[in-house]
Amino acid sequence: MNALEQQLQYPFGDTLPAVGTTLEVAPGVRWLRMLLPFQLDHINLWLLRDRIDGVEGWSIVDCGITNDATRAAWEQIFADELGGLPVLRVIVTHMHPDHMGLAHWLTERWGVRLWISATDYNTARLASASTTSFGGDGTARFMASHGLIDAEAQEKIKARKNYYASMVPQVPNSFRRIFDGDRILINGNAWVCHVGYGHAPEHMSLHCEALNTLISGDMVLPRISTNVSVHEVEPESNPLRLYLDSITRMKALPAGVLVLPSHGRPFTGLHTRVDQLVAHHDERLADVISACAEAPQCAADLLMILFRRQLDLHQTTFAMGESVAHLHALWLDGKLTRRLDADGIYRFTSN
Ligand SMILES: [Zn+2]
């Protein structure tokens, strides 16, 4: 555990639910984990005891990626953990593959509706049907315009055309739209939707006052900082500002709320964690300003300053998006000037 993590409290200690089993973390709220084939090797999903139109059952929050292992783990959960009751709905916090992947299979298997924000639903449909999202020529050009011109990296990014669809091969044909501030009644308790920007198009966290519990999704994680990236589809965006504003708004929730994050362990200490994340990004922004005061910098130049370790290609593409996000937060705040050099690369200078 690092020093910052020690400032948080973990009510379940080191206990983790084994794949295919669940652990109750609040009355009627069960925690399960699915494996992911990445360095970030797991995702937390949630089962909420529910009752809709008089029918007893469960709501699922987030799905895992589409693969045989995740489907098999779900089947084991259905057989052992639902007390013989059905799944009644599938709620997805946001469109990323580890959250959205099996929504098509889960909703079909149980004949139930997907609940999700409209922006994430539509973005997921486009990304699943497209051969160019999160990879391909457009991404390669965008990365090159921010200095990632290494030939091998460029070839690999161009070749990575089916990244999203490989994990989200289908998206359900219909959905129930959830809005910021909506109260979803689950087993008689209101779960209020809290929108968050900067990580996904329109991420929804869910807060239940009666259970003093927050399903934070990827907006607030206990150990790692949430990925906040500029993508080629919206090349002048300012996701870091959106993200910091969103998590700061979460401090309106009770300090003692139990936070159920999508990665890592359930914890309390929401306000502390938000302060840590804001301080982390403030430090990185100060580092970027100093570097840009010494000489013009592109996003690729800043990777070592921001991440302080060697990165593989998968990590580099995520890190590039984050590096651009830090530059844009300062550029769009008037603290940096951007210029497009003759080599086609954007470089930023301190004002
Ligand atoms: Zn995510």
Side-chain angles (χ1 to χ4, degrees), residues 36-347:
L36 296 174
F38 312 120
Q39 193 179 36
L40 180 59
D41 62 359
H42 71 280
I43 178 170
N44 299 323
L45 313 173
W46 314 99
L47 281 175
L48 308 179
R49 186 67 171 77
D50 206 350
R51 185 179 62 244
I52 300 180
D53 295 333
V55 179
E56 302 285 332
W58 298 88
S59 282
I60 289 173
V61 180
D62 287 337
C63 304
I65 62 169
T66 297
N67 64 24
D68 290 342
T70 310
R71 263 190 285 256
W74 270 122
E75 290 292 359
Q76 197 180 338
I77 300 270
F78 299 154
D80 301 341
E81 303 283 331
L82 302 190
L85 296 174
V87 171
L88 302 175
R89 68 180 137 198
V90 175
I91 302 170
V92 171
T93 56
H94 65 294
M95 51 83 65
H96 290 158
D98 42 341
H99 303 259
M100 184 73 181
L102 274 176
H104 65 99
W105 177 76
L106 289 167
T107 52
E108 267 172 39
R109 178 156 180 336
W110 292 98
V112 299
R113 191 72 66 215
L114 165 68
W115 294 47
I116 187 171
S117 73
T119 319
D120 278 61
Y121 175 77
N122 287 307
T123 310
R125 280 198 79 154
L126 282 171
S128 178
S130 159
T131 55
T132 54
S133 58
F134 300 100
D137 292 350
T139 307
R141 271 197 302 278
F142 173 73
M143 293 287 176
S145 76
H146 286 285
L148 189 67
I149 50 175
D150 171 74
E152 190 188 345
Q154 279 284 312
E155 279 316 304
K156 283 185 176 161
I157 294 167
K158 282 181 193 164
R160 196 177 74 180
K161 290 189 173 170
N162 261 336
Y163 185 67
Y164 190 84
S166 68
M167 293 175 276
V168 191
Q170 283 177 60
V171 169
N173 287 324
S174 57
F175 73 112
R176 173 94 169 246
R177 181 174 180 182
I178 54 177
F179 293 85
D180 182 35
D182 270 2
R183 292 157 50 88
I184 305 177
L185 270 185
I186 296 178
N187 210 22
N189 290 319
W191 289 74
V192 178
C193 300
H194 285 259
V195 73
Y197 300 106
H199 172 66
E202 193 186 1
H203 181 296
M204 291 295 177
S205 302
L206 300 165
H207 174 237
C208 180
E209 191 178 355
L211 297 175
N212 197 27
T213 298
L214 171 71
I215 294 177
S216 65
D218 278 348
M219 287 300 290
V220 181
L221 304 172
R223 192 174 59 78
I224 55 175
S225 68
T226 296
N227 179 269
V228 175
S229 285
V230 177
H231 299 285
E232 78 275 15
V233 69
E234 204 184 344
E236 284 84 36
S237 65
N238 191 0
L240 185 56
R241 179 81 273 138
L242 293 171
Y243 175 73
L244 292 172
D245 288 350
S246 296
I247 61 170
T248 300
R249 279 198 301 275
M250 288 176 118
K251 285 181 77 176
L253 297 174
V257 70
L258 174 66
V259 183
L260 306 181
S262 294
H263 310 283
R265 291 174 293 152
F267 68 96
T268 58
L270 173 67
H271 294 198
T272 302
R273 186 58 185 143
V274 168
D275 291 342
Q276 290 175 356
L277 289 163
V278 171
H280 165 83
H281 288 294
D282 281 348
E283 279 170 32
R284 296 297 186 275
L285 290 168
D287 292 343
V288 170
I289 288 198
S290 322
C292 293
E294 304 230 325
Q297 306 282 337
C298 68
D301 295 334
L302 294 170
L303 292 179
M304 267 322 271
I305 290 170
L306 287 169
F307 294 93
R308 301 168 187 183
R309 61 195 158 90
Q310 287 299 324
L311 306 167
D312 65 24
L313 178 75
H314 182 79
Q315 294 166 331
T316 298
T317 53
F318 279 101
M320 279 292 295
E322 294 229 22
S323 184
V324 181
H326 283 80
L327 286 165
H328 280 195
L330 295 164
W331 169 50
L332 294 164
D333 196 26
K335 298 201 167 86
L336 299 179
T337 297
R338 184 179 86 161
R339 70 164 198 243
L340 183 59
D341 284 332
D343 58 6
I345 296 174
Y346 288 111
R347 288 191 179 80

